[in-house]
């Protein structure tokens, strides 16, 4: 722990979350009887996940009675006697069980399970818990689950359903089959458990409890002191490496070889490195021998340690230049900070990862690992929240309160496995996959919470809900500031407010999608050239500041492309392989879907449909050219013509008025045409013809099966466009469908679709 901190950081964190969230509702049943919860922890890794829950339980003594059992490597000196950190956190340890048989080989692991099974019955019988919390996939945890199941004690298994790629999978799934309730971290893990015939009503999609603390840890200002205390005063942020490699028990010989190659590569790479001792699995003793044979403990570039307190460890990972090895921390926790990770071998290859992880599955040469270090060291990636959003503990505590102890203990398995995965929280209210959508307009800045599907309260639907897709749950609108700094600050403020509201609206925010005018590089999240309506918005990296501040992946694209994506996911383009969306608003834009993929082009200016030239002698366009569709058919072009007619007293018809303060616009032109103004009719006919000619050119170039008109002017252009196509298009293209979009907010919906479709990958 850091000096000068009177209250341990675990407790500080939990007290903060308590202030920020509403107090738990307490049922009369719980007020009458405390729920006795036994938390059993086996090693330093599982304690980091269990500790936030233990603090939550401890802070509600009127609801819960906490019992703590410590066993496994916690009690071994060679592994740091880590039970002391539990005592430092001021938890009363009810039982300490020495269950490890030394030897660090396969036989010793089996004997350790047997020894735990001999000692656990007395403890569990004495404590008589209502619920036993078991974490993860360690052999110690398998002994706990086996003993509890045979003694008719209800088991809540944390982090089941995941896939890592080693014997841990078999142990993890075995524990899941013994457990009565499950709190999982990811939607994929939830699906796996459902496929394993677990009862869906007993699965909680909670997120990883350690993420509750991780997402606040990155902002703390004392990390420099932590880095110096472990690696020396000369080491700077992002200029050191954290190495943590464990043995793979199904391939011990190869895992030792990889460990040796990793150390050789780190020596050659010549950067300050913190090396943590491996866990107690079979093969760990040989790995330690390799480390000592290479003189790592005496090497000036290395600091080899048995244990680092979790609060300090996550700071070291958060600010490292790179993390290397095969620890689950690399593919899970490190993603919350965007820390580059090199995963060696097969131990974690089955897990979901963010963009920050580079896998070296066949780590069979020094050069491969060294090259991976060259690629990853010093980079920074968007922060990922695949494994949690910071609200896991609250969900788990509520979930435990809903457990009915009067229900039959016998598990029920669901055959066959369900086809559609639907998550419900502990109040039986569905928590939906959702996105934050940002629309950066010329006048307004809009942010919305958009959910994938909408379900009614207190029941779970198993049928398709297509009418509920793309629901704007809540929207926030502010005037768009003029400067870049003010704009970013306002986006962050609005997004943070939306994220706070999303928790109470039962929306799981998966990421942020940004729709903006101009030319955008979506791969890097950079606005290359913006429209004239948004000043100081060129060569601007939007992704990095948003992702870093919100700890969410961020996607950015042009508003026309977003409209096409919205149609593909939520509108007329759903299920259509080739179609074009045309936006008719202040300007003219659009997006092209070809073979179900959005077309960006080699320099990201594909689908600049408003700048298709339809006349050599036409009016000047805002792009500097003449005769573009936008110069004829956009809202600004119609406003220009309306003002010209008004100045010549040729616009207003009987019953129409324009006061001195009101600006003449396209609506006045349309109203005049509807009232029989021949001049206004002529302008609209020209505008419709120009748009129709441009669309004919599109039909002849890419031959889509559908054209979708979107925006405020779409309905006025539908018939003129169809007429031009019938007159000017080739016979084979004349049957192309033209439809008006029915989406209310295509820019926001398209921005959200980038998140909802591509949550686990960055490019499309």
């Amino acid at each position: 722990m850091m000096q000068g901190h009177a209250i341990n950081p675990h407790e500080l964190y939990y007290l903060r979350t308590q202030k920020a969230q509403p107090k738990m509702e307490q049922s009369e049943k719980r007020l009458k009887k405390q729920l006795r919860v036994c938390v059993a922890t086996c090693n330093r890794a599982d304690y980091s996940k269990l500790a936030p829950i233990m603090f939550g339980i401890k802070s509600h003594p009127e609801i819960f009675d906490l019992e703590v059992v410590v066993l496994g490597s916690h009690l071994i000196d060679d592994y740091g006697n880590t039970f002391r950190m539990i005592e430092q956190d001021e938890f009363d340890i009810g039982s300490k069980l020495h269950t490890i048989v030394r030897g660090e080989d396969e036989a010793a692991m089996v004997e350790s399970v047997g020894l735990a099974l001999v000692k656990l019955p007395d403890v569990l019988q004495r404590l008589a818990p209502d619920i036993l919390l078991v974490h993860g996939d360690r052999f110690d945890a398998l002994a706990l689950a086996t003993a509890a199941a045979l003694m008719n004690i209800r088991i809540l298994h944390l982090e089941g359903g995941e896939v890592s790629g080693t014997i841990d999978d078999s142990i993890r799934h075995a524990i899941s089959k013994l457990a009565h309730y499950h709190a999982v971290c990811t939607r994929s893990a939830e699906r796996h458990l459902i496929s394993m015939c677990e009862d869906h009503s007993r699965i909680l999609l909670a997120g990883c409890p350690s993420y509750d603390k991780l997402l606040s840890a990155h902002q703390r200002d004392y990390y420099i002191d932590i880095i110096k205390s472990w690696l020396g005063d000369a080491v700077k942020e992002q200029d050191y490496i954290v190495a943590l490699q464990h043995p793979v028990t199904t391939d011990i010989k190869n895992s030792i070889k990889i460990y040796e190659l990793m150390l050789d590569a780190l020596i050659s790479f010549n950067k300050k490195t913190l090396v943590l001792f491996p866990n107690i699995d079979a093969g760990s003793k040989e790995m330690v021998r390799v480390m000592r044979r290479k003189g790592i403990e005496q090497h000036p570039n290395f600091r080899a340690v048995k244990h680092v307190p979790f609060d300090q460890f996550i700071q070291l990972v958060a600010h490292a230049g790179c993390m290397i090895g095969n620890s689950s921390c690399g593919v899970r926790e490190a993603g919350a900070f965007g820390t580059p990770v090199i995963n060696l071998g097969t131990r974690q290859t089955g897990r979901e990862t963010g963009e920050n992880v580079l896998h070296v599955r066949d780590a069979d040469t020094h050069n491969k690992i060294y090259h991976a270090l060259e690629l990853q060291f010093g980079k920074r990636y968007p922060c990922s929240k695949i494994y949690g959003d910071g609200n896991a503990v609250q969900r788990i505590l509520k979930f435990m309160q809903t457990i009915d102890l009067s229900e039959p203990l016998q598990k029920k398995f669901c055959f066959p496995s369900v086809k559609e995965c639907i998550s419900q929280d502990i109040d039986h209210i569905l928590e939906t996959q959702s996105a934050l959508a940002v629309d950066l307009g010329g006048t307004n800045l809009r942010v919305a919470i958009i959910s994938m599907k909408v379900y009614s309260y207190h029941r779970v639907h198993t049928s398709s809900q297509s009418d509920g897709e793309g629901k704007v749950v809540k929207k926030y609108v502010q005037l768009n500031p003029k400067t870049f700094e003010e704009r970013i600050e306002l986006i962050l403020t609005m997004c943070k407010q939306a994220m706070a509201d999303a928790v109470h609206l039962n929306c799981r925010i998966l990421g942020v999608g940004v729709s903006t005018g101009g030319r955008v590089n979506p791969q890097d999240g950079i606005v290359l050239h913006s429209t004239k309506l948004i000043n100081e918005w060129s060569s601007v990296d939007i992704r990095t500041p948003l992702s870093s501040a919100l700890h969410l992946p961020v996607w950015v694209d042009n508003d026309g492309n977003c409209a096409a994506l919205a149609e593909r996911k939520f509108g007329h383009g759903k299920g259509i392989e080739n179609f074009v969306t045309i936006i008719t608003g202040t300007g003219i834009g659009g997006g092209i879907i070809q073979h179900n993929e959005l077309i960006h082009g080699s320099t990201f200016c594909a689908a600049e449909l408003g700048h298709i030239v339809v006349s050599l002698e036409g009016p000047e366009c805002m792009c500097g050219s003449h005769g573009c569709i936008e110069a004829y058919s956009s809202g600004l072009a119609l406003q220009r013509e309306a003002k010209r007619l008004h100045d010549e007293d040729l616009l207003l018809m009987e019953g129409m008025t324009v006061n001195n303060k009101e600006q003449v616009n396209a609506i006045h032109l349309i109203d005049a045409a509807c009232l029989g103004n021949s001049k206004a009719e002529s302008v609209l006919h020209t505008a419709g013809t120009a748009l129709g000619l441009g669309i004919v050119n599109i039909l002849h170039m890419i031959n889509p099966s559908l054209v979708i008109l979107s925006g405020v002017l779409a309905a006025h252009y539908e018939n003129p466009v169809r007429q031009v196509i019938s007159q000017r298009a080739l016979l084979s293209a004349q049957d192309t469908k033209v439809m008006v979009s029915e989406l209310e907010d295509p820019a926001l919906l398209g921005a959200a679709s980038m998140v909802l479709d591509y949550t686990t990958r960055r490019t499309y």
Side-chain angles (χ1 to χ4, degrees):
M1 293 178 58
M2 295 292 296
Q3 293 182 353
H5 288 254
I7 304 177
N8 73 72
H10 285 290
E11 197 152 18
L12 277 174
Y13 157 73
Y14 196 80
L15 289 172
R16 280 202 305 274
T17 61
Q18 285 299 99
K19 290 178 182 178
Q21 301 210 20
K23 291 183 178 180
M24 282 186 203
E25 296 181 2
Q26 301 167 2
S27 66
E28 292 182 4
K29 183 176 181 180
R30 289 287 176 248
L31 287 173
K32 293 176 182 177
K33 179 183 181 299
Q34 289 176 304
L35 187 68
R36 176 167 287 190
V37 180
C38 178
V39 178
T41 172
C42 310
N43 54 60
R44 66 191 181 195
D46 77 7
Y47 181 66
S48 69
K49 314 295 179 66
L50 293 168
I53 303 172
M54 292 164 67
F55 278 108
I57 293 171
K58 186 179 177 181
S59 66
H60 291 284
E62 74 283 3
I63 302 174
F64 301 106
D65 178 16
L66 175 64
E67 295 286 350
V68 180
V69 174
V70 172
L71 64 158
S73 60
H74 272 309
L75 303 170
I76 296 179
D77 181 62
D78 287 351
Y79 293 89
N81 281 326
T82 50
F83 73 90
R84 293 196 182 101
M85 66 183 178
I86 303 172
E87 294 177 337
Q88 289 170 357
D89 285 341
E90 298 182 359
F91 289 113
D92 294 327
I93 299 176
S95 297
K96 296 177 184 176
L97 299 180
H98 293 269
T99 58
I100 296 298
V101 176
R102 301 305 300 272
E104 284 78 19
D105 58 15
E106 296 94 330
M109 291 170 62
V110 176
E111 291 168 355
S112 296
V113 172
L115 182 58
L117 286 171
V118 169
K119 293 187 174 184
L120 279 167
D122 288 341
V123 173
L124 294 177
Q125 194 167 37
R126 173 172 54 82
L127 297 178
D130 297 316
I131 300 171
L132 174 70
L133 258 65
V134 178
H135 170 269
D137 50 31
R138 306 295 301 145
F139 58 83
D140 324 68
L142 179 60
L144 281 163
T146 302
L150 292 173
M151 296 181 70
N152 293 322
I153 296 170
R154 297 171 193 271
I155 303 166
L156 172 57
H157 184 208
L158 305 178
E159 299 188 8
E162 296 182 16
V163 178
S164 57
T166 66
I167 190 64
D168 294 349
D169 288 344
S170 299
I171 296 175
R172 186 185 310 111
H173 300 332
I175 296 171
S176 292
K177 301 314 293 180
L178 292 167
H180 304 84
Y181 306 94
H182 311 271
V184 300
C185 297
T186 70
R187 196 164 294 277
S188 291
E190 179 189 40
R191 291 191 185 104
H192 293 158
L193 287 180
I194 293 171
S195 297
M196 291 163 60
C197 305
E198 291 299 308
D199 185 348
H200 194 192
S201 67
R202 294 189 173 194
I203 303 172
L204 170 71
L205 178 55
C208 181
S210 66
Y211 262 61
D212 288 22
K213 192 164 70 169
L214 291 178
L215 297 180
S216 63
H218 202 198
Q219 307 302 322
R220 298 177 186 167
D221 55 6
Y222 56 77
Y223 65 88
I224 291 293
D225 294 334
I226 294 174
I227 294 171
K228 289 180 178 179
S229 69
W230 289 98
L231 291 164
D233 293 340
V235 178
K236 297 179 181 178
E237 178 185 6
Q238 297 183 22
D239 196 36
Y240 63 90
I241 298 169
V242 175
L244 179 52
Q245 180 88 359
H246 299 303
V248 176
T249 57
T250 51
D251 192 3
I252 295 173
K253 185 176 180 180
N254 187 52
S255 64
I256 294 169
K257 177 185 175 184
I258 292 174
Y259 188 65
E260 187 168 5
L261 292 171
M262 178 191 77
L263 294 177
D264 288 339
L266 288 170
I267 291 170
S268 300
F269 200 67
N270 198 32
K271 287 290 181 181
K272 201 74 174 179
T273 302
L274 180 71
V275 180
L276 278 85
F277 277 57
N279 64 22
I280 200 168
D281 283 351
S284 59
K285 186 182 293 184
E286 288 84 351
M287 292 176 73
V288 173
R289 289 195 188 109
V290 169
M291 182 175 67
R292 287 175 173 159
R293 189 169 65 245
K294 291 185 177 294
I296 295 300
E297 290 170 297
Q298 291 78 39
H299 197 290
N301 269 353
F302 289 84
R303 172 84 188 276
V305 298
K306 296 175 181 177
H307 168 65
V308 179
F310 183 69
D311 302 282
Q312 298 180 37
F313 180 65
I314 60 174
Q315 292 290 346
L316 290 165
V317 171
H319 300 281
C322 180
M323 185 174 183
I324 188 170
N326 64 3
S327 168
S328 62
C329 177
V331 298
R332 296 169 65 102
E333 284 84 353
F337 310 116
T339 301
V341 172
I342 300 168
N343 184 64
L344 301 178
T346 59
R347 188 171 186 262
Q348 305 294 345
T349 53
R351 290 195 191 273
E352 299 168 78
T353 68
E355 187 188 359
N356 64 310
V357 179
L358 175 64
H359 290 285
V360 186
R361 291 175 176 85
D362 297 320
D364 52 0
T365 67
H366 163 281
N367 288 340
K368 276 187 185 178
I369 301 174
Y370 187 89
H371 183 56
L373 285 165
E374 288 182 316
L375 289 173
Q376 288 285 78
F377 186 79
K379 291 180 73 172
R380 229 61 204 163
Y381 290 93
C383 301
S384 166
K385 293 172 73 175
I386 293 173
Y387 287 94
D389 63 0
N391 298 289
V393 172
Q394 290 291 331
R395 295 186 183 108
I396 291 169
L397 296 186
K398 288 181 181 179
F399 185 65
M400 286 195 292
Q401 290 181 74
T402 66
I403 293 174
D404 186 354
L405 300 179
S406 65
E407 283 185 348
L409 190 65
Q410 177 60 48
K411 282 187 64 170
K412 292 181 180 179
F413 298 102
C414 301
F415 301 99
S417 57
V418 297
K419 293 182 179 179
E420 184 177 0
C421 169
I422 305 167
S423 308
Q424 66 177 34
D425 70 9
I426 52 306
D427 296 321
H428 307 292
I429 299 174
L430 198 74
E431 191 172 47
T432 57
Q433 293 185 85
S434 305
L436 287 187
V438 179
D439 178 31
L440 186 66
T443 304
N444 291 324
L445 176 61
R446 301 187 301 156
V447 173
I449 303 169
I450 295 180
S451 67
M452 180 67 174
K453 289 188 179 182
V454 180
Y455 299 87
S456 34
Y457 292 160
H458 305 299
R459 67 195 183 102
V460 177
H461 294 276
T462 56
S463 60
S464 174
Q465 300 261 324
S466 59
D467 59 338
E469 292 188 357
K471 170 73 174 179
V472 179
V473 179
K474 191 168 184 178
K475 191 187 298 183
Y476 311 79
V477 182
Q478 295 282 350
L479 289 175
N480 201 350
K482 300 301 182 184
T483 67
F484 166 76
E485 291 79 9
E486 292 175 326
R487 207 171 288 139
I488 289 292
E489 184 178 354
L490 181 57
I491 292 174
L492 288 174
T493 299
M494 295 172 73
C495 285
K496 288 176 181 178
Q497 179 60 55
M499 289 171 66
D501 293 343
V503 175
H504 306 296
L505 294 168
N506 296 294
C507 292
R508 178 68 57 87
I509 301 298
L510 302 177
V512 181
V514 180
S515 168
T516 180
R519 189 161 65 94
V520 176
N521 175 350
Q523 295 175 1
D524 297 328
I526 295 175
V527 178
L528 301 173
H529 301 291
S530 188
T531 64
K532 292 183 179 180
L533 298 174
I534 309 174
N535 297 323
E536 296 185 13
W537 205 252
S538 295
S539 298
V540 170
D541 180 0
I542 301 181
R543 173 181 293 165
T544 300
L546 296 188
S547 181
S548 297
L550 301 175
H551 300 288
L552 286 169
V554 176
W555 287 262
V556 186
D557 213 330
N558 167 271
D559 50 7
N561 289 335
C562 285
L565 291 173
E567 295 294 342
R568 184 181 70 175
K569 188 165 188 66
F570 305 115
H572 293 313
K574 196 169 185 178
I576 306 297
E577 187 176 3
N578 302 296
F579 71 90
V580 174
T581 299
I582 313 286
I583 299 180
T584 59
T586 305
I588 300 290
I592 300 170
I593 301 293
Q594 193 78 356
H595 303 302
N596 294 315
E597 295 294 332
L598 184 64
I599 303 301
H600 284 102
S602 59
T603 57
F604 311 108
C605 67
E608 288 289 349
L609 307 180
H611 300 293
I612 295 175
V613 176
V614 293
S615 172
L616 297 177
E617 305 297 332
E620 184 178 2
C621 180
M622 290 182 69
C623 71
S625 184
H626 287 77
C628 299
I629 297 176
E630 190 168 293
Y632 285 104
S633 310
S634 67
L636 288 177
L638 297 184
Q639 182 181 42
R640 181 193 67 225
E641 292 301 303
K643 290 173 68 176
R644 178 181 64 79
L645 292 177
H646 184 60
D647 291 343
E648 297 173 4
D649 292 328
L650 298 175
L651 177 66
L652 300 183
M653 299 294 289
E654 185 176 351
M656 290 181 63
T657 58
V658 178
N659 60 49
N660 294 331
K661 294 182 180 180
E662 186 179 5
Q663 189 176 23
V664 175
N665 55 43
I667 299 300
H668 295 109
L669 186 76
I670 293 169
D671 289 344
C674 291
L675 292 172
N677 186 321
S678 60
K679 298 290 186 182
E681 288 176 346
S682 175
V683 170
L684 288 178
H685 179 266
T686 301
T689 301
L691 181 61
L693 288 173
I695 291 174
V696 167
N697 289 333
I698 295 169
L699 300 185
H700 292 166
M701 283 188 291
I702 60 174
N703 193 209
S705 59
L706 173 66
V707 174
I708 301 172
L709 300 178
S710 181
V712 293
L713 300 173
H716 301 288
Y717 284 140
E718 181 181 11
N719 288 330
V721 166
R722 285 178 173 166
Q723 188 174 8
V724 173
I725 290 175
S726 67
Q727 295 171 351
R728 301 292 190 96
L730 294 174
L731 187 62
S732 58
Q734 287 182 8
D735 291 334
T736 304
K737 289 183 180 179
V738 177
M739 303 179 75
V740 174
S741 174
E742 296 178 355
L743 300 179
E744 295 181 9
D745 259 316
L748 287 172
L749 289 173
S753 76
M754 291 190 288
V755 177
L756 298 173
D757 279 345
Y758 303 100
T759 305
T760 57
R761 58 187 177 124
R762 302 294 302 175
T763 59
Y764 50 91

